[in-house]
Amino acid sequence: MPIRHMLLAVVVAVLWGFNFIAIHFALEQFPPLFLVALRFVILAIPALLFVPWPGVKVRYLVGYGLGFGTLQFFGLFLGMAAGFPAGLASLVLQASAPFTVLMGALLLGEKMTGRRAVGVGVAVMGLGVVGLSRGSADGWVPFLLVVLGAFGWALGNLASRKAQTDKPLALVMWMSVVPPLPMLAVSLMVEGPQQIGDSLVSSWSLQALPAWTSVAYIVLLGTVVGSGIWVWLMRRHPAGAVAPFSMLVPIFGVLSAWLVLNQVPTVVELAGGALVIIGVLWSNSRKGRLLRRHRRPPHDEQQGV
């Protein structure tokens, strides 16, 4: 990947890292499953009215919406609502990267270099350290829910890559049409009309302003800007080259949770985070990029902008 594309991937990591703080405050007002539906309803309305069709096959758009939009946030929001800390959720969710690399190799035939495999393996070890620390302390269900969300993100990564659209923002907006109906149905069955109604009624108070501000951040910066850039990168590079950058999200997620929510990670959890960072740096080091550049045809080298 060119340096400028790597910097764009880092910008997405910053936006998505702070996104977990926004989710924390939004969940204080709205039930988790209803919140998933709400965030995508806000996006789906302008998508249907004003955004042109992204020019992709319907099955890839639906796959992106079900993976990235529905399954990811189903697991993430439920896990955080069950008590999983925002900072650590930003770390565990990055299990999407090894999921993406593995499924990219198995399903899309993308080549996995030895260097990249080692880097991802080290990062997975870091995720495992955090999972063992938190799961043994607070129970495994919240942790496994967030891992389920990571698997959904990986499925969305592959679907967006197969979509091969030149309109990544349009794809992100139209993807938002998929989650609302299934998530509203599940929310009504699980959370019930009473809980949903109470959260909406109380949301029209000054005390709910942080929740609405958080929803705005999640929708505009976390989804439209962050996901738009991410899909643009996935369109131009192999999934295994882009996905490891998502492992940088925990740096900003843990730091912001520490500063804003006073969620202080343990030494073991910090050690696991350090392994994640080392794995990302190793798999995307200059040597690895030069090897990949040497093996690529000249046409592929000039795809980036």
Side-chain angles (χ1 to χ4, degrees), residues 41-109:
V41 164
I42 294 172
L43 285 168
I45 294 173
L48 290 169
L49 294 177
F50 305 113
V51 179
W53 178 255
V56 301
K57 294 182 179 180
V58 173
R59 65 176 179 271
Y60 295 138
L61 184 139
V62 172
Y64 185 39
L66 290 176
F68 184 87
T70 306
L71 187 58
Q72 177 186 186
F73 295 104
F74 173 88
L76 175 62
F77 284 15
L78 276 180
M80 290 182 64
F84 203 78
L88 290 181
S90 72
L91 179 56
V92 173
L93 194 66
Q94 305 325 305
S96 64
F99 280 143
T100 301
V101 172
L102 179 60
M103 290 191 292
L106 293 176
L107 302 180
L108 303 185

Side-chain angles (χ1 to χ4, degrees), residues 90-285:
S90 72
L91 179 56
V92 173
L93 194 66
Q94 305 325 305
S96 64
F99 280 143
T100 301
V101 172
L102 179 60
M103 290 191 292
L106 293 176
L107 302 180
L108 303 185
E110 295 182 353
K111 186 174 182 179
M112 184 188 299
T113 65
R115 191 178 189 89
R116 185 176 296 161
V118 170
V120 171
V122 172
V124 170
M125 286 176 57
L127 291 169
V129 168
V130 175
L132 290 172
S133 173
R134 180 56 55 173
S136 59
D138 299 331
W140 289 95
V141 172
F143 171 74
L144 292 176
L145 282 169
V146 179
V147 172
L148 176 65
F151 181 72
W153 185 357
L155 291 175
N157 280 340
L158 298 186
S160 68
R161 175 146 180 81
K162 291 292 290 183
Q164 290 291 296
T165 179
D166 292 322
K167 303 173 182 177
L169 183 57
L171 177 62
V172 171
M173 294 297 291
W174 272 91
M175 172 274 295
S176 66
V177 175
V178 177
L181 287 180
M183 290 311 305
L184 278 174
V186 175
S187 176
L188 285 170
M189 289 187 294
V190 175
E191 295 163 343
Q194 183 67 44
Q195 186 178 359
I196 296 171
D198 291 344
S199 70
L200 287 173
V201 170
S202 61
S203 71
W204 300 109
S205 64
L206 189 61
Q207 289 75 18
L209 184 59
W212 282 115
T213 303
S214 298
V215 170
Y217 181 98
I218 294 167
V219 170
L220 296 177
L221 296 179
T223 302
V224 176
V225 178
S227 299
I229 296 173
W230 191 257
V231 172
W232 186 86
L233 291 171
M234 294 290 287
R235 167 67 174 82
R236 286 158 176 79
H237 303 285
V242 180
F245 280 91
S246 68
M247 294 183 187
L248 298 176
V249 173
I251 299 175
F252 306 102
V254 171
L255 180 61
S256 59
W258 194 340
L259 295 176
V260 178
L261 304 176
N262 198 31
Q263 294 179 351
V264 183
T266 66
V267 174
V268 173
E269 291 160 355
L270 288 176
L275 286 174
V276 171
I277 297 169
I278 291 170
V280 172
L281 294 176
W282 178 263
S283 62
N284 289 280
S285 66

Side-chain angles (χ1 to χ4, degrees), residues 1-11 229 232-233 237 301-305:
M1 290 174 64
I3 293 296
R4 58 185 177 275
H5 291 187
M6 294 178 68
L7 291 175
L8 282 175
V10 173
V11 168
I229 296 173
W232 186 86
L233 291 171
H237 303 285
E301 291 182 1
Q302 300 177 11
Q303 284 186 351
V305 174

